[in-house]
Amino acid sequence: MDDMFKQIVETMNKTVLKDIHFDAKQKENVRQVIYKRKKKRHIKPTLNYLLPIAVACLFFIGTSYYVTTEMEIFSREEQTAGLNTNKGDVPPGPKVETNIYTPPTQEESYEEMTKEDVVSKLLNTVDYFYTATGKFEDYSIYYDDSDSKSVTEYKLSIKNVIGGYQKSTSQFDEKLMGYGEMINEIIYNEEKVWLKESVNKTYLVHDYQSTPTRDPITPEEAFNLELKDIYSDKAPFRERPEISAGGMSLFPYEITASYLRNTELWEIEKQNEELLGHNTIVLYGKMDEQVINRFKMKETTDTFRFWVDKDTGILVKYETYDTDGQLTSYLHPESLEVNIPIEPQDFVPNLDGYKPFVPHGKKPELDSREEEIETVDSADTNKEDTEAIVDLMRKDLPFLYEFTHPILKYLQLTIWNLKKNSATLTLRIFPKMKRE
């Protein structure tokens, strides 16, 4: 085999390679070509590994940038959502917070209180708590021996988160009314107020109007009001939310200005008495006869008792008694919690099964002549005002006929002037039969 290759080499040197000379320069060129080929063979395998790694890194970097950018945009949209709705770009809807509101913890007070201290708290309860929930029953016997009873449940927040819920259940004579009970509900938040009634399964809704904040009222300002003005616009009482029945306990402005106006008729019976987990101050006193008449209370009503929460001024409980010590009216609480966490969703109504209230018939048009009518004077059940009206009628109404039978009692007296420039007077009387 070796002899064969040697022969081939000698033959090629004599023929195809006889004119080729392989000097030092050519040898160097061959070495350079071999070197470069070896170098390329080392780099190519490295690129085979680096290229996929580089592509993967670029993919992850791009994905991370996209996600980060989108999250920032989403966050900015959430922060500016409220501003956009204020500009009218989005139709307004019920404003409902999703976070539970937790107010400061209420601390019970055990400090000694004076009469002025407790009256001031009762007249300004809106300053002393944030949220409240509770349930109570109230009952009253009136001057004609008729009575009323209802149960009220409520939950409300008057600071930071604004809203409330109240459910009042009233009992009736089913034979007389056609139904045994009526349930009225009031729900409100910062945007709307809903009124629901159970008999006809209807509801009304209107825009929420916040009550302007009023300055604190002093006992002197409240007691200087005339009894007939206590429930009028003249009364400078503090602001209160939409709920009315619940306000008898939470915002007892009128009952305070009425029952406690004569400070000589009542005393502090006990400085500290626990009631439903609250420390109360107990007041006891004699009823003013004018108050009994003004509020159509049972004529034998003689005394009253208040249980007032010391730290908030909330009227937790009250009772009135006749001369025999029997109850003639009361507010008896079942529960009361102050400054508890509130879920704003509680202030959005459930209207399932209810329909909007639609008035029946056409609203009657007013007679244009009624513009000439003005009220000269009026009286309700206040004896002094009633006598003043009767004296005026006796003087100016020659055709007046008086009913003097003892079973008749005036419910309301009003004198109307039919023509502003005339002295002509007329009378509207609503007699009420007294039960034996």
Side-chain angles (χ1 to χ4, degrees):
M1 180 67 70
D2 291 339
D3 293 339
M4 183 183 67
F5 281 113
K6 289 180 179 179
Q7 186 178 358
I8 292 172
V9 170
E10 290 177 356
T11 302
M12 291 180 66
N13 286 333
K14 292 178 180 180
T15 56
V16 295
L17 298 177
K18 65 180 181 177
D19 296 324
I20 297 175
H21 302 282
F22 199 68
D23 55 18
K25 183 177 180 181
Q26 290 172 331
K27 290 180 181 180
E28 181 63 25
N29 290 337
V30 171
R31 284 196 295 269
Q32 290 294 329
V33 171
I34 295 172
Y35 173 77
K36 289 181 180 179
R37 287 181 177 179
K38 289 182 178 180
K39 187 175 181 180
K40 288 181 180 179
R41 281 195 295 268
H42 286 295
I43 294 174
K44 186 174 182 180
T46 305
L47 289 177
N48 290 338
Y49 290 106
L50 290 178
L51 185 59
I53 296 174
V55 173
C57 291
L58 289 174
F59 174 79
F60 285 117
I61 292 172
T63 303
S64 300
Y65 176 79
Y66 175 81
V67 172
T68 303
T69 305
E70 290 299 308
M71 290 296 290
E72 290 177 353
I73 293 173
F74 182 74
S75 177
R76 287 197 298 272
E77 288 176 348
E78 283 189 326
Q79 293 172 2
T80 58
L83 298 176
N84 292 336
T85 55
N86 290 338
K87 294 178 181 179
D89 298 333
V90 180
K95 183 179 180 181
V96 181
E97 302 287 345
T98 56
N99 296 326
I100 294 177
Y101 167 55
T102 303
T105 303
Q106 192 74 22
E107 299 292 340
E108 294 298 327
S109 172
Y110 294 89
E111 296 181 0
E112 296 285 305
M113 298 182 74
T114 64
K115 285 186 175 183
E116 185 175 3
D117 291 337
V118 68
V119 172
S120 295
K121 277 283 182 74
L122 283 162
L123 292 171
N124 297 281
T125 57
V126 69
D127 293 333
Y128 298 104
F129 70 95
Y130 292 76
T131 68
T133 181
K135 182 178 181 180
F136 62 81
E137 178 181 89
D138 65 281
Y139 173 76
S140 295
I141 303 177
Y142 302 102
Y143 69 93
D144 60 355
D145 288 333
S146 63
D147 60 5
S148 67
K149 179 185 290 186
S150 64
V151 175
T152 300
E153 302 174 57
Y154 61 84
K155 177 184 290 187
L156 80 164
S157 175
I158 60 176
K159 295 180 176 69
N160 296 317
V161 173
I162 304 299
Y165 168 79
Q166 174 184 284
K167 176 182 177 181
S168 296
T169 305
S170 301
Q171 304 295 328
F172 297 96
D173 185 337
E174 188 168 1
K175 294 181 179 179
L176 180 64
M177 300 295 294
Y179 48 86
E181 70 174 21
M182 174 183 284
I183 300 175
N184 291 307
E185 295 176 84
I186 300 175
I187 309 97
Y188 74 95
N189 54 38
E190 290 181 313
E191 294 185 351
K192 297 290 182 180
V193 179
W194 294 266
L195 308 174
K196 298 170 57 180
E197 66 91 9
S198 63
V199 175
N200 298 304
K201 293 290 184 180
T202 59
Y203 71 90
L204 288 171
V205 59
H206 59 82
D207 292 336
Y208 171 78
Q209 298 292 331
S210 60
T211 305
T213 302
R214 293 186 176 184
D215 294 332
I217 182 174
T218 64
E220 290 75 19
E221 291 174 316
F223 295 159
N224 285 334
L225 287 169
E226 294 187 33
L227 278 174
K228 64 180 180 180
D229 294 330
I230 284 180
Y231 283 92
S232 72
D233 294 336
K234 297 179 181 179
F237 293 128
R238 300 298 303 279
E239 66 275 11
R240 75 180 83 200
E242 291 287 331
I243 63 173
S244 53
M248 296 170 58
S249 173
L250 299 175
F251 310 99
Y253 308 148
E254 289 81 7
I255 193 172
T256 299
S258 304
Y259 285 43
L260 305 182
R261 63 192 297 111
N262 189 339
T263 56
E264 295 181 356
L265 293 180
W266 61 275
E267 298 292 339
I268 296 175
E269 184 179 59
K270 189 181 295 186
Q271 277 286 343
N272 298 289
E273 181 171 315
E274 192 275 337
L275 180 60
L276 292 177
H278 299 274
N279 187 48
T280 67
I281 183 171
V282 185
L283 315 180
Y284 179 77
K286 189 171 181 60
M287 291 293 302
D288 190 320
E289 185 178 354
Q290 292 184 2
V291 176
I292 296 173
N293 293 330
R294 178 64 184 170
F295 297 107
K296 306 182 180 71
M297 302 173 70
K298 188 174 182 179
E299 293 180 347
T300 57
T301 302
D302 184 56
T303 55
F304 70 92
R305 182 175 279 112
F306 284 2
W307 287 260
V308 183
D309 183 30
K310 273 193 167 184
D311 37 286
T312 63
I314 292 173
L315 183 57
V316 184
K317 176 181 178 180
Y318 79 78
E319 295 177 341
T320 64
Y321 317 92
D322 62 17
T323 51
D324 296 324
Q326 300 298 312
L327 285 171
T328 58
S329 68
Y330 62 76
L331 185 153
H332 284 171
E334 181 177 314
S335 63
L336 172 64
E337 296 181 86
V338 177
N339 282 11
I340 61 167
I342 288 293
E343 171 57 65
Q345 187 63 32
D346 293 338
F347 306 141
V348 177
N350 179 6
L351 301 177
D352 292 344
Y354 283 76
K355 57 186 178 181
F357 173 76
V358 178
H360 296 289
K362 184 179 179 181
K363 186 177 180 180
E365 296 182 1
L366 295 178
D367 192 324
S368 59
R369 293 174 298 176
E370 292 187 11
E371 295 180 358
E372 300 179 354
I373 299 176
E374 68 174 351
T375 301
V376 176
D377 207 346
S378 63
D380 199 347
T381 56
N382 185 279
K383 288 185 177 181
E384 289 75 10
D385 290 343
T386 301
E387 288 300 325
I389 292 291
V390 173
D391 288 341
L392 185 60
M393 290 189 295
R394 288 171 179 153
K395 176 182 177 181
D396 295 331
L397 297 178
F399 53 85
L400 178 67
Y401 181 84
E402 293 187 56
F403 296 93
T404 58
H405 196 284
I407 69 169
L408 295 177
K409 184 179 181 67
Y410 289 122
L411 176 62
Q412 184 178 18
L413 299 176
T414 305
I415 295 180
W416 300 85
N417 186 353
L418 293 180
K419 294 182 179 180
K420 294 181 180 180
N421 298 322
S422 170
T424 303
L425 299 176
T426 190
L427 168 68
R428 177 174 291 181
I429 302 177
F430 301 93
K432 188 73 175 180
M433 298 293 293
K434 289 185 64 179
R435 296 181 182 179
E436 295 295 340

